[in-house]
Amino acid sequence: MLGTAPLLEKLKGDKTIWAIIALLALFSFLPVYSASSNLVYIYARTSSFSLLIKHFGYLVIGFSFLFFIHNISYLRLRFISKALLFLVIPLLLYTLLQGKIIGGANASRWITIPFIGISFQTSALAFVILMIYVARYLARYELNPLPFKKSLLKLWLPVFIVVGLILPANFSTAALVFLMVMLLVFLGGYSLRYLGYIVASGVLFLTLFIGAAKLFPEAFPNRVDTWISRIENFSDEDGGKDNYQVEKAKTAIATGGLTGLGPGKSLQKNFLPQSSSDFIFAIIIEEYGLIAGVSIVLAYLVLLFRFILQANRAENTFGRLLILGLGIAMIVQAFINMSVAVNLLPVTGQTLPFISSGGSSLLMTCIAMGIILSVTNKEKIKIDTQQEIEKEEDLVQLPEPE
């Protein structure tokens, strides 16, 4: 107990958020270790223990990022968000142009970090940076109406570029990014009428993309057929591979009952291709029962409540929008993952934050949480807060309200 006191004193910000994410991360070792046996069967060169160590390594790195970031004033992100956006767009373009094809579909989602050999999903990084950029833009117009014409170039063009570069290889992530940006600008006071224009433009863009992909399938590899098949499979009881995964997930949930079969006793983990990531929620219920499933749902709901509470307590608009944009997106991703497992949504490939195994997704979740906790860190907020805001305001002349 005495040894943990100094460590707890170094954890700043919302202690409830710290407690929940720590519990989720600690709990993740049990289902990840159990569910990874399927990967051992597919890739005979590895073992469940080595995969568990890999998951532990990502958690250590992720929480190290989290701890470091939460001790930095989030206001500094205002000054570097534009530079980070200009950095991530070329990375997305490079990722897309790699030309990785699996089954005739674009699978260019990852890049390999040189010398380290670790694969990294650039869309996860792009989402965090884009939300920071959008929050910064909206915060500049806190007391003024948002100008629609000027926002087309400075706000929506970067959004559509990022979403457009993610879309060919990952529709679910592109849709999630777009929806979260729409929610954030709505919360930031953007006109509903102008939002309607943007939604219509997004639908038109998606329609043109799908039409071009169907007319010229050889021109650029894409996953349009995969999207269509997943939607068809979702509504068809004999839906092939995706339906097979969902049926196994539903079997796991039904088998688990109220208290579950016990740790490591899941049978469906041997049949679910993504049992340690996309369908880990089903494995949790099979082994630990509905009690564990409901507890996880409640944990994410408590996180959502704390995000909203801390957003209302934020001392400026930028901090409030950061918490809402990054926090709500995390909760939405969690409920998408769980909804897929219980067949409420088509298969999407979204992971369960802090629980699913994975590299870049877990790291970006920790970075996003670090930013949120930085906003709740009142000790850092007090350090030159007003001076930093005034410094940026002096650099940029706000346009007259339209």
Side-chain angles (χ1 to χ4, degrees), residues 40 157 194-195 227 254 348:
V40 174
L157 180 60
Y194 296 151
L195 274 178
W227 310 340
T348 61

Side-chain angles (χ1 to χ4, degrees), residues 326-349:
L326 296 173
I328 293 178
M330 196 180 302
I331 303 303
V332 169
Q333 179 183 336
F335 278 90
I336 288 176
N337 175 280
M338 293 183 288
S339 296
V340 169
V342 298
N343 200 29
L344 291 178
L345 289 175
V347 177
T348 61

Side-chain angles (χ1 to χ4, degrees), residues 92 96 106 109 123 160-175 202 205-210 221-224 227:
L92 287 172
L96 185 64
N106 193 320
R109 300 184 185 183
S123 60
F160 274 90
I161 290 176
V162 171
V163 172
L165 291 174
I166 297 174
L167 180 64
N170 196 340
F171 171 76
S172 63
T173 299
F205 175 80
L206 179 61
T207 303
L208 292 175
F209 175 82
I210 293 175
N222 56 82
R223 297 179 62 84
V224 171
W227 310 340

Side-chain angles (χ1 to χ4, degrees), residues 84 93 136 157 164-165 172 187 190 206 218 239 266 344:
L84 291 175
L93 183 61
R136 171 189 176 276
L157 180 60
L165 291 174
S172 63
L187 295 174
Y190 206 75
L206 179 61
E218 302 298 330
S266 167
L344 291 178

Side-chain angles (χ1 to χ4, degrees), residues 22-32 284 288 292 296 354-355:
L23 289 174
L24 290 175
L26 288 173
F27 174 73
S28 71
F29 288 104
L30 295 174
V32 166
I284 290 172
Y288 302 95
I296 290 174
F354 291 108
I355 294 181

